[in-house]
Amino acid sequence: MQLSFRTLSSFTSILCFLLALVWGFFPEVLLAIWSIGYSEGTGVVARRSAVLFAALGVMFYLLRNAPPSAARSALSNGFIVGCFGLAGLGFGEWLNGHAGPGILLAVLVEFALGLGFVQARRVTVELGETVG
């Protein structure tokens, strides 16, 4: 299934806004899914992560209709690195026993989003839409 940048960007912005809300107001829920206890320290990190998710959501929302460009490519490439990095880190934390099996859901979503953006970038290149 081929996804357009617009579709993938719109989905990603919604997901980021949802994660911002959950990490900001209910971090103990996601931490419990990952079998990680909530503490004052994890709360601080969760709320700070919420703001980063909100920022990503704004960026993807505003760029959803952007034609191929250096900015769109930079955002996509950075997000690909972030998704694959988080997926690898999450899998490693699970293997090392630092997180429970619930983190594998996040790993799956991160890996799928990374692949989605790789595919969207490839489709853009195959269609002859080059980045200037």
Side-chain angles (χ1 to χ4, degrees), residues 48-114:
R48 291 179 61 82
S49 296
V51 175
L52 290 173
F53 276 115
L56 282 170
V58 168
M59 286 186 273
F60 278 107
Y61 180 76
L62 294 175
L63 275 175
R64 72 191 184 286
N65 294 318
S69 66
R72 187 175 114 170
S73 181
L75 180 70
S76 294
N77 290 337
F79 198 69
I80 290 167
V81 169
C83 283
F84 289 152
L86 286 171
L89 182 61
F91 191 70
E93 297 294 354
W94 174 69
L95 286 176
N96 289 321
H98 300 146
I103 201 166
L104 296 177
L105 176 60
V107 168
L108 180 65
V109 170
E110 292 154 356
F111 190 71
L113 276 175

Side-chain angles (χ1 to χ4, degrees), residues 2-125:
Q2 292 188 351
L3 296 172
S4 68
F5 177 82
R6 184 187 196 301
T7 300
L8 196 55
S9 185
S10 297
F11 172 78
T12 301
S13 69
I14 292 167
L15 180 62
C16 286
F17 289 137
L18 178 63
L19 286 169
L21 288 172
V22 175
W23 277 120
F25 296 106
F26 310 104
E28 63 279 355
V29 172
L30 289 177
L31 291 170
I33 291 170
W34 294 355
S35 303
I36 297 173
Y38 179 83
S39 68
E40 187 177 313
T42 57
V44 168
V45 173
R47 289 185 295 277
R48 291 179 61 82
S49 296
V51 175
L52 290 173
F53 276 115
L56 282 170
V58 168
M59 286 186 273
F60 278 107
Y61 180 76
L62 294 175
L63 275 175
R64 72 191 184 286
N65 294 318
S69 66
R72 187 175 114 170
S73 181
L75 180 70
S76 294
N77 290 337
F79 198 69
I80 290 167
V81 169
C83 283
F84 289 152
L86 286 171
L89 182 61
F91 191 70
E93 297 294 354
W94 174 69
L95 286 176
N96 289 321
H98 300 146
I103 201 166
L104 296 177
L105 176 60
V107 168
L108 180 65
V109 170
E110 292 154 356
F111 190 71
L113 276 175
L115 286 178
F117 276 94
V118 166
Q119 175 268 318
R121 183 181 60 187
R122 186 175 322 135
V123 168
T124 299
V125 171

